[in-house]
Amino acid sequence: MFATKVRSYAKVNLSLNILGVSGGYHMIDSVAASVDIWDTVCAKPRSDGLINVYMHGLGSESIPPEKNNAVKAGEAFVSAFGTKGADIEIYKDIPIGAGLGGSSADAAGVLNALAKLYKVKDRAAIKALADTLGSDTAYMLAGGFARMQGRGDKVTPLICPRTLHMLLFAPSEGVSSGECYREYDRCPDAPRSDSQNMAEALASGDFPAVARNVYNALGAPAARLSGAVGEALEAAKSFSPSACAVTGSGSGVFALFESEELCRWAKSRYKGKIRTRIIKTVLPKEAKISRLSSPFALTEEEIENAEGER
């Protein structure tokens, strides 16, 4: 029996602009949202300081330990907080290489699971640790609606009073983030939306404004690198959604619709071979806590009435 179990949610990038390069890293301004796809992270304590991670599903079993961010997260946690180790099982449902943040979700899930297991409550220290593990990892600790700036390490929780519904197209082939950024550098794209506008549209629940500000600067580079991404984008556009975009550096593409019924309609009529999945935004438990300190903060009563963990 495992001593603790946590869910770590996938994300979509509703907007993603690239503002330049600093210190060898691309500076981004992105609004992301958690969606109802998650990996399950289970942990039980060990009597020594070892971290053992066992992956299950979607071909994750073949990930070498030295390249697995979940392993790195566990080892970094033990080193930073001086705790014992853990045996960790990760059951994957977040597609790999789809721009949904699966690797970062696993790293964040391990940090959250170990913090729960060993009663470590210093969230600032955990966030600082997450910053060393990947640009999305700090955001993934809480998830929800948030704006990520800089390298992705500056995370501002946002609110949205409505659930957003999407049809996800998830090609089987992934896109290398590094290659996608290099392709962007070769042919950069002028920003077409503003993350501040997206944040304000979400806060007011203005769905048309949200749709107008959906944009990803990495979308065109991803499509140039992968024919499957281009195919997914064309498939998404064929159903005339309110908006559609690549998430992250691909290869996943989401089509935003005004209702779940429209998502179901589009899914039922899609005859292509790319995997599709109806998804919606969710508010993980950890995000409820982060919202209390947001500049767009909800009251505790509003948070309790907001969409909960599924």
Side-chain angles (χ1 to χ4, degrees):
M1 178 178 291
F2 287 97
T4 190
K5 179 171 68 174
V6 301
R7 290 178 177 180
S8 203
Y9 288 82
K11 57 82 180 169
V12 295
N13 296 92
L14 297 172
S15 67
L16 196 163
N17 285 290
I18 298 174
L19 306 183
V21 178
S22 177
Y25 292 93
H26 288 83
M27 298 293 104
I28 66 168
D29 190 359
S30 177
V31 172
S34 296
V35 294
D36 59 343
I37 307 174
W38 62 83
D39 290 350
T40 303
V41 181
C42 305
K44 61 183 178 182
R46 292 180 58 90
S47 59
D48 55 27
L50 294 179
I51 291 290
N52 293 320
V53 176
Y54 305 95
M55 307 294 295
H56 305 277
L58 304 182
S60 60
E61 297 87 351
S62 63
I63 300 174
E66 65 273 13
K67 293 185 178 181
N68 191 333
N69 273 352
V71 175
K72 295 176 183 178
E75 292 175 345
F77 186 95
V78 171
S79 176
F81 297 107
T83 65
K84 298 292 187 180
D87 291 321
I88 299 167
E89 306 263 359
I90 298 178
Y91 298 88
K92 289 201 65 64
D93 191 37
I94 303 174
I96 296 172
L100 296 166
S103 176
S104 296
D106 292 343
V110 167
L111 294 181
N112 281 331
L114 293 180
K116 185 177 178 182
L117 186 67
Y118 288 113
K119 297 179 171 56
V120 175
K121 298 182 179 180
D122 188 344
R123 300 306 294 178
I126 296 170
K127 193 268 184 189
L129 199 58
D131 287 336
T132 69
L133 297 167
S135 59
D136 290 342
T137 309
Y139 159 70
M140 290 291 193
L141 285 172
F145 290 94
R147 184 175 180 178
M148 295 185 289
Q149 295 170 281
R151 291 172 51 189
D153 55 331
K154 182 181 177 182
V155 181
T156 305
L158 303 174
I159 66 168
C160 182
R162 65 180 295 161
T163 300
L164 301 180
H165 298 278
M166 304 166 221
L167 179 60
L168 174 69
F169 293 80
S172 56
E173 65 181 60
V175 175
S176 163
S177 294
E179 289 183 14
C180 195
Y181 275 104
R182 285 190 288 273
E183 178 64 18
Y184 171 87
D185 291 338
R186 189 186 68 79
C187 186
D189 197 9
R192 300 180 194 172
S193 69
D194 183 275
S195 290
Q196 180 62 32
N197 289 340
M198 175 64 82
E200 292 172 357
L202 290 171
S204 64
D206 186 343
F207 182 81
V210 169
R212 284 196 303 272
N213 283 285
V214 168
Y215 168 70
N216 185 348
L218 294 175
R224 291 195 294 270
L225 290 170
S226 169
V229 173
E231 181 183 346
L233 279 167
E234 289 305 310
K237 292 175 184 177
S238 72
F239 297 107
S240 300
S242 298
C244 64
V246 171
T247 178
S249 58
S251 59
V253 171
F254 66 89
L256 176 68
F257 291 94
E258 210 161 354
S259 68
E260 183 178 350
E261 289 73 23
L262 285 172
C263 291
R264 295 192 180 282
W265 168 81
K267 180 176 174 63
S268 70
R269 283 158 177 76
Y270 175 62
K271 305 303 180 186
K273 296 182 179 179
I274 297 174
R275 296 169 297 172
T276 59
R277 184 165 179 170
I278 295 169
I279 60 175
K280 62 185 176 184
T281 55
V282 293
L283 183 63
K285 291 186 298 184
E286 294 81 3
K288 296 180 183 181
I289 299 171
S290 296
R291 280 183 170 204
L292 288 171
S293 59
S294 167
F296 299 103
L298 291 174
T299 66
E300 290 192 41
E301 181 179 358
E302 288 172 319
I303 288 176
E304 286 302 315
N305 290 332
E307 180 184 18
E309 187 177 31
R310 301 300 174 93

